[in-house]
Amino acid sequence: MSDTSPFLTDSRADLSRAADALRSGDIVALPTETVYGLAADALNPEAVRKIFEAKGRPLLDPLIVHVADIDALARIAVVDSRLSKVAAFWPGPLTVVLPRQTCVPDLVTAGKDTVAVRIPAHPIFREVLRLSALPLAAPSANPFGYISPTTAEHVRTSLGARCPLTVDGGSCAHGIESTIIDLSHPSRVRLLRPGPISTEQLEAVLGPLEVVTHTSAQDAAQDAPGMLERHYSPKLPMVLFERGQKPPSLPPGTALILQSRRPTTPSHARVYYLSEHGDCVEAAHGLFALLRQVDQQHHSVIIVELAEPKGIGIALNDRLRRAAAR
Ligand code: TXA
Ligand code: MG
């Protein structure tokens, strides 16, 4: 199939087609409220293998399994009483790592005895979960290491014919991947990836979180292999500077990305704003689309202002730091 085949829509017929493809062991890109995911039947290793092939993702990087509700979740993972404390964030952008049930293939968990699970909120994803009646493994629908997709067009541009079916659900509301916490240890709660559900929101129900920062790739490989320091990376070099500060020197061809509009900006750079008034939620929503856009233009370097480190701004800065790491 050519990579310009039309997207599937949210019509009943198209979503049934997506569900049928998943039931036959094929992969389908679907919108979620965070980013687009590349989905497959989580209990079918041959189907899951296609995800890794399409993304060029190393097999040691485990996948998130998406389910419709807590009952479906309990068939995949071992739940404990702490789960009821975070269940209020579902359906939504929270992923929890728990001990796995034996039905989950090793390929999904990269051989670990834990599995990452999430109950997504996006109506299209939920309808496909319902129609297929499958738990769906789905990483972000981008080539490994590149910027996550927040529109169907992003999926097409970066995966092309490697992903023959994509459902178009417009642009993703949050624009940044789910928050991941690890509840697999009975007495510890660890934050593996900041995201739209903030540390403050989680600590209000769970108590203090241990924030995991990885000092080496080996370290990262043991915890959450996808948490490599370098990730979400544009092809162009990226340089960051602290919020509100003057940007560093701007070489010719600079794309300068600011968190909010400033009264005066350098005339020799192309300037972009993530938000008019420094709203981090708006900035997160548009970040990946802007990075992709700028990465395709004839710039020499992308220089980006960091966000205010609070709420989703923490997740935004995490993605920016990984994107800038070389
Ligand atoms: O918002 C999201 O979470 C999106 C949408 C599609 O749901 N998915 C997503 O998946 O971001 P992915 O594969 O790009 O990132 C999942 C992360 C990876 O870094 C992986 O290492 C980590 O979750 N992970 C998966 N299973 C794990 C496990 N058992 N233990 C620790 N980390 C795990
Ligand atoms: Mg990803």
Side-chain angles (χ1 to χ4, degrees):
M1 199 178 285
S2 97
D3 58 5
T4 53
S5 57
F7 295 129
L8 298 181
T9 68
D10 63 356
S11 71
R12 176 66 200 239
D14 278 3
L15 297 188
S16 294
R17 189 168 157 211
D20 290 347
L22 290 162
R23 289 199 67 84
S24 328
D26 286 329
I27 53 174
V28 179
L30 296 171
T32 85
E33 69 278 25
T34 57
V35 300
Y36 276 70
L38 189 58
D41 175 358
L43 301 182
N44 176 346
E46 285 321 306
V48 171
R49 188 174 297 281
K50 293 179 189 170
I51 295 178
F52 286 92
E53 282 165 8
K55 279 183 63 88
R57 179 173 173 124
L59 291 176
L60 53 73
D61 193 354
L63 305 178
I64 298 174
V65 179
H66 300 68
V67 291
D69 51 38
I70 298 277
D71 286 346
L73 189 149
R75 290 194 282 275
I76 300 297
V78 180
V79 301
D80 69 35
S81 60
R82 291 173 301 170
L83 206 66
S84 58
K85 297 185 181 162
V86 296
F89 298 113
W90 281 329
L94 178 70
T95 297
V96 178
V97 173
L98 292 166
R100 71 154 154 177
Q101 299 285 9
T102 50
C103 62
V104 183
D106 278 342
L107 204 52
V108 170
T109 67
K112 290 156 85 70
D113 50 16
T114 57
V115 61
V117 283
R118 162 158 125 78
I119 303 179
H122 197 290
I124 290 179
F125 203 111
R126 294 190 64 76
E127 185 60 5
V128 174
L129 281 171
R130 193 183 72 78
L131 291 170
S132 66
L134 295 170
L136 295 176
S140 49
N142 52 291
F144 181 71
Y146 195 61
I147 305 161
S148 296
T150 56
T151 66
E153 197 55 49
H154 292 161
V155 178
R156 172 182 284 164
T157 325
S158 52
L159 289 180
R162 282 178 284 163
C163 175
L165 284 182
T166 299
V167 182
D168 187 354
S171 85
C172 301
H174 296 295
I176 216 164
E177 304 82 354
S178 62
T179 306
I180 307 182
I181 55 171
D182 180 358
L183 290 183
S184 64
H185 188 280
S187 59
R188 293 163 73 194
V189 185
R190 304 190 316 151
L191 177 72
L192 297 183
R193 180 172 74 184
I197 304 293
S198 69
T199 309
E200 297 92 314
Q201 283 173 290
L202 288 165
E203 290 193 330
V205 295
L206 286 171
L209 298 184
E210 245 178 81
V211 177
V212 176
T213 46
H214 298 112
T215 48
S216 71
Q218 193 187 8
D219 208 20
Q222 276 162 12
D223 267 338
M227 302 287 112
L228 298 176
E229 200 193 10
R230 178 174 179 189
H231 216 77
Y232 316 105
S233 304
K235 296 185 183 76
L236 289 173
M238 228 173 101
V239 176
L240 308 177
F241 67 100
E242 289 301 328
R243 176 172 164 269
Q245 302 295 303
K246 195 168 160 294
S249 75
L250 307 171
T254 293
L256 177 63
I257 300 182
L258 300 174
Q259 293 292 332
S260 56
R261 191 172 286 280
R262 295 184 177 197
T264 55
T265 49
S267 56
H268 53 292
R270 181 76 203 272
V271 185
Y272 302 86
Y273 302 100
L274 284 168
S275 161
E276 205 49 39
H277 302 291
D279 174 351
C280 287
V281 172
E282 186 187 350
H285 171 78
L287 175 70
F288 287 156
L290 182 58
L291 286 181
R292 277 176 179 259
Q293 179 197 324
V294 165
D295 204 27
Q296 274 155 28
Q297 295 164 349
H298 299 284
H299 291 294
S300 55
V301 57
I302 311 174
I303 299 186
V304 192
E305 180 182 21
L306 288 159
E308 184 182 1
K310 96 177 194 225
I312 200 172
I314 293 174
L316 202 76
N317 289 346
D318 168 77
R319 304 307 188 273
L320 286 172
R321 291 206 170 91
R322 290 177 206 276
R326 284 292 186 270

